[in-house]
Amino acid sequence: MKRDTQIFDIIELEKQRQLKGVELIASENFVSDQVMEAMGSVLTNKYAEGYPGRRYYGGCEVVDLSEQLAIDRVKKLFNAEWANVQPHSGAQANAAVFLACLKAGDKFLGLNLSHGGHLTHGSPVNFSGLMYHALEYNVKEEDQRVDYDQLETVARKERPKVIIAGASAYPREWDYARIRKVADEIGAIFMVDMAHPAGMIAAELLENPLKYAHIVTSTTHKTLRGPRGGIILMGKDFENPWGIKTPKGEVRMMSSLLDSAVFPGMQGGPLEHVIAAKAVSFGEALDPSFKIYQQQVRKNAQTMAQSFIDKGYNVISGGTDNHIILVDLRTKFPQLTGKVAENLLGEADITTNKNMVPFDSRSPFQTSGLRFGTPAITTRGAKEPLIQEIVEFIDTVLSNPEDAKTIAAVREKVNATMSQFPLFGW
Ligand SMILES: Cc1ncc(COP(=O)(O)O)c(C=O)c1O
């Protein structure tokens, strides 16, 4: 076959885009060359429905080794007793938990999407809101932190079967112990979706939810810096039989329910090339250098939050405990929407995303906020002085929305700066 230059030229364009710009999307990162190599390996050719040692296809003895290695490493990384590394994405991992724990129409409780929650935690346009009865809790207006009193009130009144903690745009630590307490009181399953802060949790910079939750889900591609994918973990509760009976009357363990929910419940053949890449990234996260990286991610996030505050921006909750900074633009630029701000910054090769802020007066298509994150820029080697410079770039662009010349000048500076921060073997 002749080389498909059409697609490889497009891939090269994307590579150049990534190299020349400042990447501040909180859910993105740059994987290592080894992670990339495993993803592009011969393992993509293999069908392996089932789990290591119990597959529906022949020839799985080699992929069994890599999937088992991924399981062993992720258990060690998060101090888990049980792991499933097959979910194709974070949404698939969450869907599998729903399938294992709920019947259609059952109640569950999650953080309001416009207060930082994720689509899969009950949005009306997502399977979670379409198939199940979604209830929500909010953050408080005065400090934009989770309203645990409200969470408890709703939980006691509605008695949801599952309570979810975790979010896409919440810059603060969680009080997992408090949620577990109310979950136990009403007999609910407590699930934590740690997709965003997983890397920081692995580096022990944030509380490990496995100590409190019955079930923990995550993506592998955000702070954790692995390939795109999902995982499901359990800690000490994994042996609980949950009283769920099969048609034959046997009581099933949650681990077995979750395995069945992923395959054959949600998915067919696992992506063994991605699972091998997950194993590589878990190995990287077990290395002491990963902790140093995560410490820098957090230092950079705190520097960014403070730099925005110093320039008169309203940083939601007044700062950050993790890698996320959520800015309410209305304080400094009442007329500027998140949508316009995202586009303006894009013209300067600074990539961010518009985001709802708690109690937003605008729609999700416009929004009043921008979400920033430091995992990707830190992987490129950014330290505090570069972060301060980037906030200066952002402020210049947002203060001059009509001035194409100023924005072009910022883009030139961004490109020149980023050329000094190469990526792995690129
Ligand atoms: C908290 C949370 N859960 C789940 C997901 C879904 O992950 P994926 O995009 O891999 O399906 C995300 C993605 O942004 C997320 O932020």
Side-chain angles (χ1 to χ4, degrees):
M1 275 296 249
K2 100 177 186 328
R3 185 169 169 82
D4 186 344
T5 50
Q6 222 180 340
I7 197 71
F8 285 108
D9 285 354
I10 294 171
I11 292 173
E12 182 59 27
L13 278 180
E14 172 59 13
K15 182 173 166 184
Q16 293 309 322
R17 187 196 68 80
Q18 292 184 16
L19 273 173
K20 73 181 184 183
V22 165
E23 182 50 72
L24 296 177
I25 292 189
S27 47
E28 292 188 13
N29 214 326
F30 299 109
V31 298
S32 70
D33 294 345
Q34 293 188 91
V35 168
M36 200 83 90
E37 192 181 333
M39 267 189 289
S41 72
V42 293
L43 299 189
T44 193
N45 298 330
K46 188 72 199 98
Y47 242 112
E49 284 179 356
Y51 290 99
R54 45 197 172 105
R55 306 277 191 184
Y56 289 83
Y57 285 81
C60 290
E61 58 280 4
V62 181
V63 291
D64 274 6
L65 297 176
S66 62
E67 186 166 337
Q68 193 55 52
L69 194 55
I71 292 168
D72 295 343
R73 285 182 179 174
V74 80
K75 280 167 61 180
K76 188 163 175 213
L77 188 59
F78 290 105
N79 211 359
E81 298 286 345
W82 175 89
N84 185 310
V85 295
Q86 290 195 0
H88 298 336
S89 74
Q92 300 284 94
N94 290 350
V97 175
F98 278 67
L99 196 60
C101 301
L102 298 169
K103 289 203 264 320
D106 277 351
K107 290 179 184 172
F108 73 96
L109 176 60
L111 179 63
N112 182 346
L113 178 64
S114 60
H115 286 210
H118 186 254
L119 282 171
T120 55
H121 301 179
S123 158
V125 295
N126 179 261
F127 79 88
S128 54
L130 291 164
M131 302 278 299
Y132 305 96
H133 182 154
L135 304 161
E136 62 188 29
Y137 56 93
N138 296 321
V139 297
K140 287 174 284 171
E141 197 151 11
E142 63 271 22
D143 61 2
Q144 296 103 42
R145 294 177 192 232
V146 166
D147 188 344
Y148 293 98
D149 292 338
Q150 186 205 19
L151 185 156
E152 286 172 352
T153 305
V154 180
R156 288 188 185 116
K157 179 162 175 272
E158 301 282 351
R159 305 187 79 80
K161 283 200 173 162
V162 172
I163 303 178
I164 305 178
S168 290
Y170 185 63
R172 293 299 180 180
E173 176 62 294
W174 289 76
D175 189 347
Y176 299 124
R178 190 164 169 189
I179 305 179
R180 173 66 190 244
K181 209 159 160 234
V182 71
D184 283 345
E185 189 188 313
I186 64 164
I189 291 169
F190 177 31
M191 165 189 152
V192 174
D193 177 350
M194 63 170 182
H196 262 273
M200 273 190 186
I201 291 165
E204 298 176 318
L205 299 183
L206 291 170
E207 188 75 272
N208 186 343
L210 277 137
K211 286 195 252 165
Y212 306 95
H214 296 105
I215 302 168
V216 174
T217 60
S218 184
T219 55
T220 44
H221 48 273
K222 299 183 169 80
T223 47
L224 200 46
R225 207 164 63 182
R228 310 196 74 77
I231 48 174
I232 309 176
L233 307 172
M234 274 199 289
K236 61 183 164 46
D237 294 299
F238 84 109
E239 287 170 315
N240 286 356
W242 304 97
I244 298 168
K245 295 215 167 106
T246 64
K248 287 187 192 150
E250 306 147 332
V251 175
R252 289 187 64 187
M253 298 294 172
M254 182 52 92
S255 51
S256 143
L257 287 168
L258 287 168
D259 272 345
S260 304
V262 174
F263 171 83
M266 284 291 305
Q267 297 182 173
L271 310 176
E272 290 297 341
H273 54 309
V274 175
I275 290 171
K278 286 175 182 171
V280 174
S281 65
F282 301 149
E284 290 175 351
L286 282 162
D287 189 88
S289 61
F290 192 72
K291 189 165 188 153
I292 297 166
Y293 160 65
Q294 292 295 343
Q295 281 165 338
Q296 191 63 49
V297 169
R298 179 142 81 179
K299 273 192 234 162
N300 286 347
Q302 289 173 348
T303 300
M304 182 172 279
Q306 194 53 51
S307 306
F308 276 124
I309 291 167
D310 293 346
K311 290 191 178 302
Y313 288 82
N314 177 6
V315 171
I316 295 295
S317 83
T320 181
D321 297 327
N322 53 35
H323 60 295
I324 294 173
I325 304 99
L326 188 59
V327 170
D328 186 342
L329 294 165
R330 290 174 297 185
T331 308
K332 185 156 179 176
F333 304 112
Q335 306 306 324
L336 187 64
T337 66
K339 184 178 177 187
V340 171
E342 178 192 305
N343 289 336
L344 287 169
L345 292 170
E347 283 172 34
D349 287 344
I350 298 170
T351 315
T352 65
N353 64 280
K354 64 176 177 296
N355 214 99
M356 294 288 273
V357 290
F359 309 98
D360 206 325
S361 46
R362 296 193 175 102
S363 76
F365 301 105
Q366 300 297 327
T367 82
S368 300
L370 281 176
R371 186 185 66 161
F372 300 95
T374 51
I377 195 76
T378 307
T379 294
R380 284 195 79 165
K383 299 253 165 44
E384 293 89 323
L386 177 61
I387 298 295
Q388 285 163 336
E389 206 181 333
I390 289 171
V391 173
E392 195 71 50
F393 292 154
I394 293 169
D395 189 50
T396 304
V397 171
L398 298 185
S399 304
N400 296 280
E402 320 254 287
D403 184 350
K405 242 173 139 179
T406 299
I407 295 177
V410 171
R411 184 175 63 235
E412 269 175 38
K413 281 193 206 158
V414 163
N415 297 159
T417 306
M418 292 324 291
S419 68
Q420 291 158 35
F421 291 86
L423 264 170
F424 303 115
W426 298 24

